Amino acid sequence: MIKHIPNLLSLSRIVLSPLVIFLYLYNSYTTVIIAFIMLILLEITDALDGAMARKLNIVSDMGKVLDPYADTILHLVLFTIFLYEGSMPIWMFLVALYRDMLSIFIRILSGLSGLAVAAKFSGKLKTFSRAFAVILVFFIKILKYTSIELPYDSIIYYTFLVVTIITIYSFFDYLPLIFKKNKN
């Protein structure tokens, strides 16, 4: 049973993401706080699943695919909401979307060749930056219910700009894998 825990943690991000999104969009102080706490827990599962799999030597091809897929689902759906709310510019959203579609394409090509592509450092850095950004946006939404005045829009914009730069770096880091996998 223990060998399935990392994949169950990844799966929990996919299953619980709609609840986090619903609570965030319900748009009350209480539901946003609950969504914020749940989001932090989901982001922690991202760190735990891989660490647990490596520590217990139960890394699987399923986990190599499921973990980044769960991250993509959670973050792209949240980015879609931020785009809708006006918190994220469309060009930043499109960079994130295209980079993730490239990653999925590479994983499909690799799977057809019988290989599972593990996450690269640039992909992990991208995921960490996205996790930080979405947690920050949720936190700012909570702060907006208070009397604390900060340049919220600028903070969010520049945070997403850094995330977008990291995403572009990750895109170019993964791009050669298309040609490498295609040779086989």
Side-chain angles (χ1 to χ4, degrees):
M1 177 62 187
I2 198 162
K3 70 179 184 174
H4 298 294
I5 292 175
N7 290 343
L8 290 173
L9 289 172
S10 293
L11 194 57
S12 73
R13 288 198 305 283
I14 295 170
V15 171
L16 294 174
S17 292
L19 181 58
V20 171
I21 293 156
F22 171 77
L23 291 169
Y24 178 85
L25 290 174
Y26 193 77
N27 211 19
S28 77
Y29 182 69
T30 304
T31 60
V32 173
I33 288 177
I34 294 168
F36 178 71
I37 292 167
M38 286 183 67
L39 176 64
I40 290 172
L41 292 174
L42 290 179
E43 294 294 356
I44 289 171
T45 67
D46 185 27
L48 285 178
D49 61 3
M52 178 182 264
R54 285 185 296 278
K55 182 174 176 139
L56 299 175
N57 199 24
I58 52 176
V59 174
S60 68
D61 286 346
M62 172 67 90
K64 289 178 187 176
V65 174
L66 187 60
D67 178 46
Y69 180 72
D71 298 335
T72 296
I73 293 291
L74 176 62
H75 294 145
L76 282 183
V77 171
L78 288 172
F79 286 179
T80 303
I81 291 165
F82 301 154
L83 176 68
Y84 173 76
E85 288 183 332
S87 301
M88 182 178 213
I90 192 164
W91 72 270
M92 291 182 188
F93 173 80
L94 290 173
V95 167
L97 178 66
Y98 274 81
R99 185 267 175 218
D100 286 2
M101 293 303 105
L102 171 73
S103 176
I104 289 170
F105 179 71
I106 289 169
R107 291 179 194 287
I108 290 169
L109 281 180
S110 298
L112 292 172
S113 302
L115 303 169
V117 176
K120 297 178 78 167
F121 173 76
S122 64
K124 292 179 182 190
L125 180 62
K126 180 247 343 155
T127 299
F128 175 80
S129 70
R130 287 181 178 183
F132 176 82
V134 297
I135 288 170
L136 180 68
V137 171
F138 274 57
F139 183 66
I140 285 174
K141 188 159 186 165
I142 292 168
L143 287 179
K144 286 183 176 180
Y145 284 102
T146 69
S147 59
I148 299 172
E149 294 291 327
L150 292 171
Y152 296 123
D153 293 341
S154 294
I155 293 168
I156 292 171
Y157 177 83
Y158 287 109
T159 300
F160 280 135
L161 183 60
V162 170
V163 169
T164 302
I165 290 167
I166 293 169
T167 299
I168 291 168
Y169 161 67
S170 176
F171 173 85
F172 284 109
D173 195 28
Y174 275 81
L175 196 57
L177 291 177
I178 290 177
F179 305 107
K180 184 178 182 182
K181 300 299 177 199
N182 203 21
K183 288 180 183 177
N184 294 337

